[in-house]
Each structure stands twice: as C-alpha cells, then as structure tokens.
C-alpha cells in the first residue's frame, strides 16, 4: 500500500480510487461480508491484511441492565435486572 497514491489495487486487476481524510483516532472503517451466502466471495488476501477481524456476539442484556441499575443507586440491581430481562 502506497500512502501517497490516490488509488489502491484490491487484487481484482483494477485500481480503486481512495480519498484520505483527516479524522479522529476513535473513528474506524468496517467491512462486513458473509461469504457463506450465494453469490458472495471471500475478501482478497491483500485487502484482508489491511483489516483486523472482529467477532460479533449477542450482548448480555441482564448484565447491561444490572450495571445501569447499579449506577443509578439500586442496591439489589442483580435481582431487579433478572426480573427486567
């Protein structure tokens, strides 16, 4: 990857135009692909190397409710959260 280049080759034989912008360190770019579905392909290795894999899971709503209740001052937040969820 050449950082001064206005295009990048993603492995398909064609160059993709890119525009670099200044941003905050807390911003991010995400690529989501489900290669198991019909008509979708794997991400090319040279593009895959630019991104870090992230696992998505279902949030534990009881823990979230427990923390919210506890932060508001409820002493028995664990049993209340269980009743809410």
């Amino acid at each position: 990857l050449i950082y001064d280049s206005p295009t990048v080759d993603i492995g398909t034989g064609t160059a993709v135009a890119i525009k670099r912008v200044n941003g905050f360190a807390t911003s991010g770019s995400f690529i989501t692909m489900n290669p198991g579905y019909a008509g979708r392909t794997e991400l090319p290795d040279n593009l895959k190397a630019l991104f870090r894999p992230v696992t998505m899971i279902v949030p534990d709503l009881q823990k979230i409710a427990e923390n919210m209740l506890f932060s508001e001052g409820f002493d028995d937040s664990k049993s209340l959260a269980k009743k809410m969820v």
Side-chain angles (χ1 to χ4, degrees), residues 8-16:
V8 64
D9 180 21
I10 61 169
T12 59
T14 59
V16 175

Side-chain angles (χ1 to χ4, degrees), residues 48-69:
K48 196 184 296 183
L50 299 174
F51 294 94
R52 186 181 325 172
V54 177
T55 303
M56 304 296 287
I57 60 170
V58 177
D60 186 354
L61 298 177
Q62 185 174 340
K63 290 262 189 210
I64 293 170
E66 181 182 341
N67 283 319
M68 290 176 71
L69 289 168

Side-chain angles (χ1 to χ4, degrees), residues 14-66:
T14 59
V16 175
I18 56 172
K19 179 180 177 186
R20 299 198 187 276
V21 295
N22 292 330
F24 296 107
T26 57
S27 63
S29 298
F30 299 92
I31 293 178
T32 57
M33 291 185 71
N34 296 324
Y37 291 109
R40 297 190 184 169
T41 59
E42 285 283 333
L43 203 59
D45 287 335
N46 58 348
L47 189 58
K48 196 184 296 183
L50 299 174
F51 294 94
R52 186 181 325 172
V54 177
T55 303
M56 304 296 287
I57 60 170
V58 177
D60 186 354
L61 298 177
Q62 185 174 340
K63 290 262 189 210
I64 293 170
E66 181 182 341

Side-chain angles (χ1 to χ4, degrees), residues 62-82:
Q62 185 174 340
K63 290 262 189 210
I64 293 170
E66 181 182 341
N67 283 319
M68 290 176 71
L69 289 168
F70 189 76
S71 67
E72 292 293 330
F74 288 88
D75 291 332
D76 198 19
S77 61
K78 186 172 275 197
S79 66
L80 289 173
K82 189 173 184 180

